Amino acid sequence: MTVTWEELGWERLADGVGRCRLPRWDCTAGLVVGEDAALVVDAGSSLAEGARLHGAARRLAGRRVTHLALTHPHFDHVFGAAAFAGAEVYGAYGATGAGALFAPGGQGRDALRADAVAEGLDARAAREAADALVPVAHEVSGACVLDLGGGRRVRLADVGPGHTGHDLAVLVPGSPDVVFCGDLVEESGEPQAGPDAVPSRWPAALDRLLELGGADALYVPGHGAVVDAGFVRAQRDALAARFGVSC
């Protein structure tokens, strides 16, 4: 039985492209459907949330999820990744080596688990998700194109560092073009700059994001409502002023 995006609580952005705002941390997850394959952008904050996300994506796509793009290595975006068994996992260049995040028993996993618990995730759920983290099989340096079939070609671009040292954006050409920004852009609150942020280079990352999407694209933030290029440009200028970066 065919279901609509709206019936599953998703927001349709363009033909075969949509997103949902996950509960609690208001984290965005995206879905891009091609004729032969399906891409999910970000995986949720726990194995249970990842499983629910995967199930909804399969119903909407009418096929299994073949590709998973992780916009950056924070728990609310990656802890559900193991629920996407068999998917090819993509991340920005250097993500695999970031504090041994994806190495079993690595210190990066411990730090991610501790951060998740500090933010309110159940300790057992955080431990299970950290232990189950899947490796990023494909690190994107510069950009790469995924052919999902039926003329749908999605561009993954390493546009960071900024919010973290490893920020990946996803451009879906269409009518309109859609850009999944990760937490380089936030609408529901001020952009968060944690200890792994690179503030001096964040404005330049947003310049690259705007170059990627152009003036007429829809920009999907990591948290909050979909925005336009003007919003991204204003946030870029606010970050430059906040961190003392010359324009």
Side-chain angles (χ1 to χ4, degrees), residues 42-127:
D42 285 338
S45 61
S46 68
L47 292 175
E49 188 165 72
R52 290 192 294 270
L53 178 61
H54 191 188
R58 285 181 64 121
R59 291 186 67 188
L60 289 168
R63 60 180 55 84
R64 74 179 184 89
V65 174
T66 52
H67 301 78
L68 174 65
L70 302 176
T71 61
H72 62 286
H74 283 169
F75 83 91
D76 50 337
H77 296 260
V78 306
F79 262 7
F84 293 83
E88 295 289 325
V89 183
Y90 291 77
Y93 179 76
T96 296
L101 176 60
F102 294 100
Q107 293 180 352
R109 292 189 182 213
D110 290 339
L112 205 61
R113 176 188 52 76
D115 183 52
V117 172
E119 291 293 330
L121 185 64
D122 174 77
R124 180 176 179 180
R127 183 176 63 254

Side-chain angles (χ1 to χ4, degrees), residues 34-243:
E35 191 172 287
D36 305 319
L39 165 72
V40 164
V41 182
D42 285 338
S45 61
S46 68
L47 292 175
E49 188 165 72
R52 290 192 294 270
L53 178 61
H54 191 188
R58 285 181 64 121
R59 291 186 67 188
L60 289 168
R63 60 180 55 84
R64 74 179 184 89
V65 174
T66 52
H67 301 78
L68 174 65
L70 302 176
T71 61
H72 62 286
H74 283 169
F75 83 91
D76 50 337
H77 296 260
V78 306
F79 262 7
F84 293 83
E88 295 289 325
V89 183
Y90 291 77
Y93 179 76
T96 296
L101 176 60
F102 294 100
Q107 293 180 352
R109 292 189 182 213
D110 290 339
L112 205 61
R113 176 188 52 76
D115 183 52
V117 172
E119 291 293 330
L121 185 64
D122 174 77
R124 180 176 179 180
R127 183 176 63 254
E128 290 175 344
D131 289 345
L133 268 177
V134 296
V136 170
H138 306 281
E139 291 190 345
V140 178
S141 177
C144 75
V145 174
L146 300 180
D147 187 347
L148 303 184
R152 169 134 283 164
R153 295 169 63 84
V154 177
R155 185 178 179 88
L156 309 184
D158 178 12
V159 295
H163 175 66
T164 71
H166 313 282
D167 293 305
L168 186 75
V170 178
L171 168 66
V172 188
S175 299
D177 293 346
V178 177
V179 182
F180 291 95
C181 308
D183 286 3
L184 284 169
V185 179
E186 295 193 43
E187 185 276 335
S188 55
E190 186 173 278
Q192 298 301 300
D196 57 344
V198 187
S200 64
R201 299 179 65 179
W202 200 332
L206 292 182
D207 286 337
R208 288 189 288 274
L209 198 67
L210 287 164
E211 183 178 356
L212 180 70
D216 298 322
L218 297 178
Y219 291 84
V220 185
H223 303 265
V226 175
V227 300
D228 60 13
F231 181 95
V232 177
R233 193 172 298 109
Q235 193 157 96
R236 178 249 185 250
D237 293 342
L239 285 167
R242 174 180 168 189
F243 297 124

